[in-house]
Amino acid sequence: MADAINKVCVIGAGVMGAGIAAQVANAGVPVLLLDIVPKDGGDRDAVAKGAVAKMLKTEPAPFMSPAAARLVETGNIEDHLAKVAECDWIVEAVVERLDIKQSLYARLEELKRPGTAVSSNTSTIPLGHLVEGRSEQFKRDFLITHFFNPPRYMRLIEIVTSAETDEGVAAKVAQFVDHRMGKRIVRAKDTPGFIANRIGTYWLAVAINAAMDQGLTVEEADQIGGRPMGVPKTGIFGLIDLVGIDLMPLLAKSLSSTLPEGDAYFETIRPLPLIDRMIADGFTGRKGKGGFYRLDRKPDGSRAKQAIDLQTGEYRAEKKPERLSGRAEKDLAALVATPGKVGDYAWAILGPVLSYAAGLVGEAADDIVAIDDAMKLGYNWKFGPFELIDRLGPGKLAERLRAEGRPVPALLETAGDRPFYRVVDGKRQYLTTGGDYADVVRAEGVLLLEDIKLRSEPLLKNGSAALWDIGDGVVAFEFTGKMNALDEQVLSLLQKAIALVKSQYKALVVYNEGSNFSAGANLGLAMFAVNIAAWSEVEKLVVAGQQAYKALKYAPFPVVAAPAGMALGGGCEILLHADAIQAHAESYIGLVETGVGLIPGWGGNGELIDRLAKSPKMAKGPMPAVTKAFETISTAQVSRSAALAKELGYLRKDDGVTMNRDRLLADAKQKALSLVEGYQPPEKPVFRLPGAAGKVAFDGAVADFAKKGVATPYDVVVADRLARIVTGGDADLIDEVSEDQLLKLERSAFMESVRDARTQARIEHMLETGKPLRN
């Protein structure tokens, strides 16, 4: 199906508007970004141009690659608004003032083509108010598309339509934001704050008030109201620091002006002198001088984390609270039942927030799935409100609310002791407002392993991996260990999977639905072997990895790797051995072993050289591809997107990129099937490497880096080991090096590295802190 949207206009180059424009450009679609003419009389396009320039320097980056910025055309509303006639979708992201928006719409109505979608990114103004006074045609073309900040990284988009909106126009926009911009759509009703911000703002207000009322520290509040509830590790106060403390009064003012009388949100509004003072003094969170947390910089350059005292308003050294009991960390009911401040605070949040969410079904959303999806995608909750209720027990929640004399939402009464979600005949179902269960329906074309697991058993399984039949003769190989780390169990099951697929299936996809594809080899297990000097076991693991990956590469069926998130070290190496890669756009790929003093040991060095040498952009001869590989591996470069992975050579030009994470498995499966007919395994490469002369050049370059202080003395040692591999050893010029010879060099350098005490210190530091050690 050809895209119905081939050019987009975004009006408003603030943080949200510019971010939306960047994500359109990330999708490979031209976008016109307009803003006001500056008052200083200089460059009339300066506001929009400045927004693009700022985004190119921003971290985390709104653009997936600097090249995407070239798709953004900048201009101003006074001179260039007529260009909206060239666009298929116009996104309004101007200031949240109804009069300004309506004035803009009046001008757009005269300029845009009939059928061109117009949407507002508002999160507070009802749709009906926005289109007052507009023509019937304009109302048919109008909807709300509420993105979340930052637009590149937040997967949620709330779409709101009216009875007058043309569903064809809405479908066109929905198709684009789903497939091209990578968003999961939640249909919200035209109510204040829609879904996520309505519940999210209430949740934060309740949590802040309860922490102050109960005399908790910010650290205690973030511990109790954070991970045990499935909230990101920032917790409550850390999240507010992240989004900006100065947004709190703005959201309160906006919601309180539009919410219906009697809404529970009004009960949370109270004077907060501490927050007023913080904002006035510039302590607005991470974007300001600090927030509830801040870094105190010492005269010697060191930094110490501090937290604010909620009672006195003074900063003090961060205090880690006593650890919760193991059961309270994992069992929500146990958390709420814990005596004292832990249970009291947990209930002070969950009781009001979950009952508030239950009362919004039918008002803010049609069903519980929309509300759960909105909170998981918009606020990164691990569990949606109704999934949390199921963990507490719907009947127990209602019973406690009733015992405290608080109202019990009708939907909780309807549920009784029944769960809000259940699995029947391999299908996940949810409780409707009518008291019946209905199947959870995925968007057309979405294939998720979590759904396959409900209706089938794995073909093969052990403690670190599993193999699943995903239909049409294709199987999915899944990593299942912590951080999807790779160990001997993964390698063993991979060999068994290859044998099974060879005899009974057509193709294999390497895929999982974890936060990260794989963080690489399990260094903890490797260090255990090192600490008892079990060198033969370490070498055995290296050989097993090489053998498994080469067996995968030369298997008599196509293999497609489908990464999302981090694919590092051994996780990157398995990508390099696949016939093709279908990567999620947010894939962070790299051979990072040198960061802990190691050398890639499972064939990654040769595979990257071969891939670079075959790139049409690479100059010919023994040095260019090897030089690029040496630079990339020695500096442990990681792509910050799939687009940048192509520039680094981890992905080939024709490897696929999927914008929507939910569609990755289906796309990878389709790619695998497209390779089946006439498939032949690749021929083994023969490498032409520069030998000793090339190594001398690399040694000189590394020595220069060391003189400049960029490389540490041990970095020089590690680079020397890597240079020996990629140049083919110590001969003058090697015209032909076999894959097996290169693997032997790789094994030797890896074992030399892992025996070095400096490498062991780096690995131990990484395991303890999660950060590389520079020594």
Side-chain angles (χ1 to χ4, degrees), residues 688-711:
R688 187 180 174 210
L689 303 174
K695 185 174 182 302
V696 169
F698 292 153
D699 290 345
V702 173
D704 286 341
F705 281 120
K707 287 179 183 178
K708 295 174 183 176
V710 178

Side-chain angles (χ1 to χ4, degrees), residues 8 104 158 256 263 274 328 338 346 426 513 559 580 597 610 632 640 746:
V8 176
L104 175 63
E158 292 175 321
S256 59
D263 190 273
L274 171 61
T338 302
E513 286 167 4
V559 175
D610 186 51
T632 300
R640 296 190 178 189
E746 196 174 75

